[in-house]
Each structure stands twice: as structure tokens, then as C-alpha cells.
Amino acid sequence: MGMESHCIAALCALVTHLLVASFVQSAADSVTFSIANYGLKGTEDEDITKAFSVAWKAACSSTSPSKLIVPKGTYVLRQVVFEGPCKAPLELQVHGTIKAPEDPSDFIEKAGWISFQRIDRFALVGNGTFDGQGSTAWSQNDCHKTGECNKLPINIRFNFITNGLVQDITSLNSKLFHINVLGCNNLTFSRVNIKAPEDSPNTDGIHIGRSKNINITDSVMSTGDDCISMGRGSENIAIERVKCGPGHGISVGSLGRYTKEEPVSGIIVRNCTFFNTDNGVRVKTWMSSEKAIATGLYFQDIAVVNVSNPVVIDQEYCPYNHCKAKKPSQVKLSNISFRNIHGTSSTQMAMKLACSSGVPCENVEISDIDIKYTGSDGDSMSDCTNVSPKIFGKQYPSPCVAANSSS
Ligand SMILES: *[C@@H]1O[C@H](CO)[C@@H](O)[C@H](O)[C@H]1NC(C)=O
Ligand SMILES: *[C@@H]1O[C@H](CO)[C@@H](O)[C@H](O)[C@H]1NC(C)=O
Ligand SMILES: *[C@@H]1O[C@H](CO)[C@@H](O)[C@H](O)[C@H]1NC(C)=O
Ligand SMILES: *[C@@H]1O[C@H](CO)[C@@H](O)[C@H](O)[C@H]1NC(C)=O
Ligand SMILES: *[C@@H]1O[C@H](CO)[C@@H](O)[C@H](O)[C@H]1NC(C)=O
Ligand SMILES: *[C@@H]1O[C@H](CO)[C@@H](O)[C@H](O)[C@H]1NC(C)=O
């Protein structure tokens, strides 16, 4: 090949590059888009709502797999829905910090701040931060008075995502839940960071409902409510190597508040650590509930450090006294195991299994429990009602023995 054809090839490459100025061809059949190429000025706290939305449409309609990049920097993003279906797999890389508007009245109620919706083969990755700027909104949260707890926007909603991955991102100071998972199948959260103050109300880390095959691994969560909660229709969920605290622990529930809730089944919480949390592992169902079932709930290899209520089944859940009547829960719990749970409790009641008198718990196993009370006024205790657990291995405290209790 002569000098001339070299030059022509180089020129062609340059022309091609100019023609596709808004993206670069990275791998053979993967296309990269950056929101920076969609009319941004590059100023600090720039509003990227329009640029991001247009870039999303371009990436989503690419027929080859695409990467969409939010570069380093600090941005403002208004309430937005990133909608599929997309024509090929899409990987969104967030490297910068994206801030929400502070004022809750800038949001349509119940819609979430950022929603990803109806996308197959979607990844959200990068070491970027989604900052919900929740501190002013928290003081407006009147959920404890009204029982209406879903008015403020959730930071990130994943609605009807299939075959997805969320990795490395941080959710900071959400106004309400950090992350909500609805109608998803095969979605993995890995190395996710959740951060909000201990006293921020209803800032659950990840809430899952009506979804299956969801994994949450290697994540660190400190927040004002449950680190992870699994509601109606949570099926085949694996939670491993999550550090929770401060926060309210990892919960199945609350269940039974609504009619015809889909069953919960196949929940594994394994190799997780709780620091200074209100609860460790917990199953909660409403008192005076509707009928529902939860079965196959396995909690194992759990470390608790100064946790108020390390192991809990609470079928008399009735926060702020919002129950219609004091009737037993009708949520049937079965096939539950607590295995190898060790550490310290900041209250004497290390394990409380309070099952429903209407539908007692069935097939509950506790094995290898070693939880010491950190106080000096007695030993740790355990209490069981409407359940006769199968007991194996080491048991400290003695199972189902509460001091001064007749149960
Ligand atoms: C995020 O940071 C981790 C650890 O520094 C690194 O391994 C990973 O590649 C980063 N992710 C991206 C998408 O830059
Ligand atoms: C689950 O999704 C991942 C993509 O994140 C994909 O690689 C994997 O094949 C999917 N698993 C199933 C069973 O479809
Ligand atoms: C999710 O976790 C389960 C249990 O550890 C594992 O069998 C499954 O392969 C994981 N799924 C994905 C997509 O990583
Ligand atoms: C989690 O697993 C690792 C590796 O097997 C182990 O070193 C660690 O002690 C486990 N943590 C808990 C809380 O079981
Ligand atoms: C242990 O937990 C209690 C109650 O949550 C808290 O007041 C105390 O500061 C914690 N102790 C340590 C050493 O963190
Ligand atoms: C509960 O476990 C028993 C015995 O291991 C099993 O036969 C039964 O199918 C399980 N029930 C449910 C609803 O998973």
C-alpha cells in the first residue's frame, strides 16, 4: 500500500468521525454516546434534563449495543422517566454527581425522581452519585401522622426492568426511599452505596415488590429506615455481603396491608453485617391484616453489632397505631430459618418470634445463635409466641426463654 492510500484512509476516518460527532464507534458493534455532546455548556450544577433525555433517546434507539456516559461533574436533573423498550442493550455510565431539585413541589407526587422503565438488558454503572437533596423534604414528611407515606419522590425507580445490572453507584440523601424495584425480573445490584442520616424518615435503601430473581451483593447501606425491604410478590431474592447500619435492618414486609397481595417466597439473606441498627433480620406483617403468605425465608451467617432487635418476627406490626382493629394477622409464615447469627444486642431481647395467633408460624428453624446483651443488667433473652421452632446447635440466649415471661 502506497503513501497516498494511507492518507486517504486517514482522511476517510476523519470524515467519518466528523459525521458521527455525537458519538464514537468504540468496539466493533458498540456505540458510545455522551450527554456532553448534547448541548451542555459545561458549567457547574448545569441542568442536564434536556440533554440527558435527548441522549437517552439516541442511545435507546441504537440498533447496536450502546453506552451512554454522564461524565464527571456536578449536574441538576429534574424529574424524568427514561423509558424503553430500547432496540439493543444499553449501559448507562454515571461518573458525575447528579442532584435533584430540593423543593418537593417540583415533583409530581408518587412518580419518583428518576425512573428507568420497561427496558431489557439495561445496566446502570459507574462511581457517580444520585443526590436526592432530601434534607428540606424530610421535615415535611407527615407520614407518621397521616399514614400516607408515599408523597415524596423516591430517588431511583426501576419499573419492569429485565436482565439488568446496577453497579457501583451511590444514592445519597433521598427524599423518600433510595431505590424502588417494581415488576423486575433478573436484576442484580452489586457494590451499591446507600447514604442518608440515621434520623431521615422513610429512606429505605432498596425496596422490592412484585419482582423476581433479584440479587443484592457487596453493598454498603446507612440510612434512616430499612436497608432493604421486600414487600408483596418478592420471589427468589438473594442478598449477600451487605453491610447495614445505621438503619432498621433487612426486612421481609411489611405484609398484609392490602388485599390480594402476591406471595413472598424464596428469600435468602446471607453473610450480612449489621452495625448499630434498630433491627437485624426481620419479618413483619400487619396486625388485622389481609390474607397473604410468605414462605422460604432463610437468614444465615449474619453478624450483629450493637443491634437493638437482632432477630425478629413481628406479626403485630402496627406503626403509629394505624391498624383498623386489633385482630391477629392473617399472613401465613412458613419455612423460615435463622442460622449462624452471632454478635451483640443493645437490648436484652435478642430474639423475638411473635407469630400470629390466627395463623401460627410453621416449620421455623433456629440454629447456631450466639447473641450477647451489651448491657450489664442481665443476660440476653429470647421469646416465642405461636411458634415452636426446631432448634439445633449452639443457642445463646436459651431459645424461647424470656425472663419474667410465662410464654
Ligand atoms: C468504580 O470504582 C471502582 C473502584 O475504584 C472501580 O473498580 C470501577 O471500575 C469503577 N467503575 C467505573 C465504571 O468507573
Ligand atoms: C440475567 O441478566 C444478565 C444480564 O445482566 C444476563 O447476563 C443473564 O444471562 C440473565 N440471566 C437469565 C437467566 O436470563
Ligand atoms: C443470584 O444469586 C443466586 C444465589 O446466590 C445465584 O444462584 C444466581 O446465579 C445469582 N444471579 C445472578 C444473575 O447473578
Ligand atoms: C462472610 O464470608 C466471609 C468469607 O467467607 C467470611 O470471612 C465472613 O466472616 C462472613 N461474614 C459473616 C457475617 O458471616
Ligand atoms: C449502641 O446502640 C445504642 C442504641 O441504639 C446506642 O445508643 C449506642 O450509642 C450504641 N453504642 C455504640 C458503641 O455504638
Ligand atoms: C416447606 O418445607 C417443607 C419441608 O421442607 C416442604 O415440603 C414444603 O413444600 C415447603 N412449603 C413451601 C410452601 O415452600
Side-chain angles (χ1 to χ4, degrees), residues 376-393:
S376 52
D377 50 334
D379 279 345
S380 55
M381 304 186 294
S382 142
D383 194 18
C384 307
T385 42
N386 304 308
V387 58
S388 308
K390 287 180 221 141
I391 292 159
F392 302 96

Side-chain angles (χ1 to χ4, degrees), residues 241 270-273 300-304 340 342:
R241 298 179 305 279
R270 188 161 47 200
N271 202 240
C272 293
T273 309
Q300 64 184 64
D301 306 323
I302 304 291
V304 289
N340 186 25
H342 53 92

Side-chain angles (χ1 to χ4, degrees), residues 199-215:
D199 58 359
S200 57
N202 308 110
T203 51
D204 294 51
I206 300 180
H207 177 77
I208 301 169
R210 291 185 253 190
S211 294
K212 57 188 177 185
N213 306 314
I214 309 297
N215 287 8

Side-chain angles (χ1 to χ4, degrees), residues 255-256 258 261-263 289-294 330-333:
L255 302 176
Y258 305 102
E261 288 185 5
E262 302 80 353
S289 76
E290 302 290 337
K291 279 193 175 145
I293 61 169
Q330 296 184 78
V331 180
K332 177 77 183 177
L333 302 180

Side-chain angles (χ1 to χ4, degrees), residues 56-104:
W56 174 271
K57 284 213 174 81
C60 185
S61 49
S62 162
T63 50
S64 40
S66 61
K67 292 191 165 88
L68 172 56
I69 306 210
V70 177
K72 284 201 166 127
T74 58
Y75 311 99
V76 170
L77 179 65
R78 283 173 279 127
Q79 188 168 35
V80 64
V81 180
F82 295 113
E83 184 85 46
C86 298
K87 294 207 169 105
L90 192 162
E91 178 180 294
L92 173 59
Q93 291 184 8
V94 176
H95 303 288
T97 295
I98 303 179
K99 298 182 192 168
E102 254 180 87
D103 187 350

